[in-house]
Amino acid sequence: MTVQETEHPAADVLRVLAISRSSGALEVRGVPGGAFFLHEGEVTYAETAGVPPVPETVETDPALPSMIRSTIVEAGVEMLSAPRVENDRPLFRPGRRHWTGLRHRFAVEQLLAEITDLLAHFTRLGVTPDDEVRLSWLPRGRTVVIDSQQWALTSRLTSAQSPRTLARRSGIPLTATLTSIAAMIASGVAKLVQADPNPTTPTAPPAPQTRPQAPDTGPLETDRAVSASTILTASKPIGPPPEQLPRRRPRTPDATPGLGADPAGSTTTPPPPPAPEASAPPRPVASPGELDPDSRVAIALRVLEGLKRL
């Protein structure tokens, strides 16, 4: 990844301001936002969220120029490598100055080249500011020694997140965070979360198959009530009930079929023949003008007569 490849609008605007030898502040929009301070086309300071500012208490410190330089580089890496918002151009405000003044002056082309080299270095290490990183389990029996900065990042790496987000949460500069994350990946303490190149879209489970229901044709024939007119128009008479079968009697065991002798030689008297059952009384024959009392018509008439009495 290089500054030219990212095509951040602020990089082109900085080149234009350097050629025109402009003085003021270039405000970079987006997340995170920030500003480059220039004097006659050279960068004198840079600030952005996530990069600790140079405290004013070190104004007399002889190391102040080197602190300003490292802050400019850190803020430049943060701003020029961050995702951009479409149609969100930088805004230049002429005349604005920072309290650090002219203690360090950074040429625009030199600054962009240094930012490009840093991003290329981290790409060679295998991690970029927006890669997803998570902790990894070490093999049993393996021991890894980490420094205090890696320990601070490990304690905050509770879930998969990018080095940029981790740097903002921990307050550690992005370049230092990328260096520590690369070392943790090399030692096996952390690993990159690889995106699935062929993501599969979960399909919805098939709908349960249901049997087609028969069209509703009303109540079944067996559920319909038989009307009185149907009974009255019936012409087939109901026959008499079947005669009762003769009752079975227990059979006396015989030693020899046909002989009434038991095993001891004694004889037994055969059972008397069954008494003739009384024949059922003859059913009265209805006269030509009368109805059979057991016919459907007679039953229907009696039902209607009972309903009338109610």
Side-chain angles (χ1 to χ4, degrees):
M1 179 188 299
T2 63
V3 176
Q4 288 79 9
E5 291 175 353
T6 58
E7 296 181 355
H8 199 288
D12 295 334
V13 177
L14 283 174
R15 292 188 178 96
V16 173
L17 295 176
I19 295 174
S20 62
R21 301 182 61 86
S22 301
S23 299
L26 178 65
E27 295 182 357
V28 180
R29 308 295 180 86
V31 181
F36 289 96
F37 292 87
L38 297 96
H39 177 74
E40 295 182 355
E42 293 180 333
V43 179
T44 59
Y45 192 76
E47 60 183 8
T48 184
V51 177
V54 176
E56 298 185 19
T57 56
V58 297
E59 187 174 358
T60 59
D61 193 339
L64 181 59
S66 62
M67 297 172 61
I68 295 174
R69 176 186 174 88
S70 61
T71 302
I72 293 173
V73 174
E74 291 287 346
V77 171
E78 181 72 43
M79 287 186 287
L80 298 183
S81 66
R84 278 86 61 195
V85 180
E86 188 177 0
N87 300 326
D88 197 355
R89 302 288 297 181
L91 178 63
F92 181 65
R93 296 183 180 276
R96 288 190 58 185
R97 299 183 59 183
H98 194 262
W99 69 265
T100 54
L102 304 179
R103 288 177 174 83
H104 183 78
R105 302 175 69 168
F106 219 139
V108 171
E109 290 297 337
Q110 183 182 358
L111 173 62
L112 296 179
E114 190 165 338
I115 293 174
T116 300
D117 293 341
L118 278 174
L119 294 176
H121 171 66
F122 293 125
T123 302
R124 289 191 298 268
L125 292 178
V127 58
T128 61
D130 296 305
D131 286 338
E132 292 291 322
V133 185
R134 67 185 308 169
L135 294 178
S136 177
W137 290 98
L138 292 175
R140 183 182 297 274
R142 182 179 178 183
T143 303
V144 176
V145 179
I146 60 178
D147 56 22
S148 59
Q149 185 168 278
Q150 294 175 3
W151 176 256
L153 295 175
T154 302
S155 61
R156 293 184 178 273
L157 195 59
T158 56
S159 60
Q161 52 189 306
S162 66
R164 189 187 305 276
T165 304
L166 193 60
R168 295 173 186 172
R169 293 181 57 192
S170 61
I172 301 175
L174 179 59
T175 55
T177 301
L178 288 170
T179 303
S180 298
I181 291 295
M184 293 166 60
I185 293 175
S187 61
V189 176
K191 64 179 180 179
L192 294 176
V193 179
Q194 301 293 339
D196 189 3
N198 298 317
T200 56
T201 304
T203 57
Q209 298 181 358
T210 56
R211 296 182 178 179
Q213 298 181 356
D216 188 8
T217 56
L220 298 178
E221 191 67 26
T222 55
D223 297 337
R224 295 176 181 174
V226 181
S227 60
S229 60
T230 306
I231 298 176
L232 293 176
T233 55
S235 58
K236 184 177 180 180
I238 301 176
E243 296 182 358
Q244 186 176 5
L245 296 177
R247 182 181 302 175
R248 294 186 59 184
R249 298 181 180 276
R251 181 180 178 182
T252 305
D254 296 333
T256 304
L259 299 177
D262 55 9
S266 61
T267 60
T268 58
T269 305
E277 297 181 358
S279 58
R283 297 178 57 189
V285 180
S287 60
E290 297 179 355
L291 293 175
D292 188 357
D294 294 333
S295 65
R296 294 184 178 181
V297 177
I299 294 173
L301 291 177
R302 289 197 297 272
V303 170
L304 292 176
E305 185 66 24
L307 293 175
K308 291 180 180 180
R309 292 177 182 178
L310 294 177

